Amino acid sequence: MKNVLSLILISFALMLSGQKHNVAKKKVTKTVSARTNPDLVKVNDSIPALIPQNINGKYGFVNQKGKVIIKPEYSNVGFFTEDCNLLNSPNPKVKRFGSSKYASVHLNGQDFRINESGTLVYQFKKSDLGPCTPEFKAQIFHAYVMNHAYGIIEDSKFENPGDYRQFTIYPQYDYLHILEGDDLKNPMIIASYKNKFGVIDINNKVVIPFEYSDIKRNFSWKLARLFEVTKDGKNYYYVDSNNIRY
């Protein structure tokens, strides 16, 4: 009987030892969350974390709080956006530089891509550039001039300029320009009224007040949801759709 009891105790001890051994073999996986650079934390999620800025004739980048993150040393810069030619490059080693993690800059007569730390990571080469065919989207609305005043029409509905009801915005401005964007049904429109520039929407609601001497007709709205404005005709800067300056 004692022998049987001894065997049972030995077997139980071996089982416990095996369980401990298996537990020891199991790998402990720790979840490590990626740290966010506090300088790149967004106040406005609809615009880029880094925004081009001209300081004393040189371009660099500031964050949304206005802090200089990439010092101004470039003759020209673009937004941190995709580069279609690099994304379609025949050289697989450079395709990654076409992502929106990088921006194109011009320095000492050469073109480069930089990362969010301002490090030059790639120099453009013609042999690396792949084909890029931009997608064409026909505008739904167009500017219409009548009696020297600008209005907006919707092409598919407009037939008779004598019927004011057919105008989306009846001609009343000195100048109108529809900005290219992703939402063709709700475009932003640069408008001029009494020698001042602002931005209106398709419902004739003022988005950016008429307080600027000029607003550039470029791709800043399409690429970054920003407007490039000036009050003195020389010093341009960006504002968002709430007219907040960056």
Side-chain angles (χ1 to χ4, degrees), residues 75-93:
S75 57
N76 200 4
V77 300
F79 290 102
F80 278 83
T81 57
E82 292 184 347
D83 185 293
C84 180
N85 296 113
L86 288 179
L87 288 175
N88 293 302
S89 174
N91 183 355
K93 293 182 179 180

Side-chain angles (χ1 to χ4, degrees), residues 57-75:
K58 293 290 185 180
Y59 288 90
F61 290 84
V62 298
N63 66 10
Q64 291 190 4
K65 294 182 179 180
K67 179 181 177 181
V68 176
I69 305 301
I70 299 175
K71 65 180 181 179
E73 59 180 339
Y74 306 104
S75 57

Side-chain angles (χ1 to χ4, degrees), residues 22-40:
N22 289 334
V23 170
K25 281 186 175 180
K26 290 183 179 178
K27 292 182 180 180
V28 178
T29 304
K30 293 182 179 180
T31 303
V32 180
S33 58
R35 292 184 179 180
T36 302
N37 185 340
D39 286 331
L40 300 182

Side-chain angles (χ1 to χ4, degrees), residues 93-110:
K93 293 182 179 180
V94 307
K95 285 187 175 183
R96 63 190 180 97
F97 298 122
S99 81
S100 58
K101 292 182 179 180
Y102 305 95
S104 297
V105 299
H106 194 70
L107 179 66
N108 299 327
Q110 301 293 328

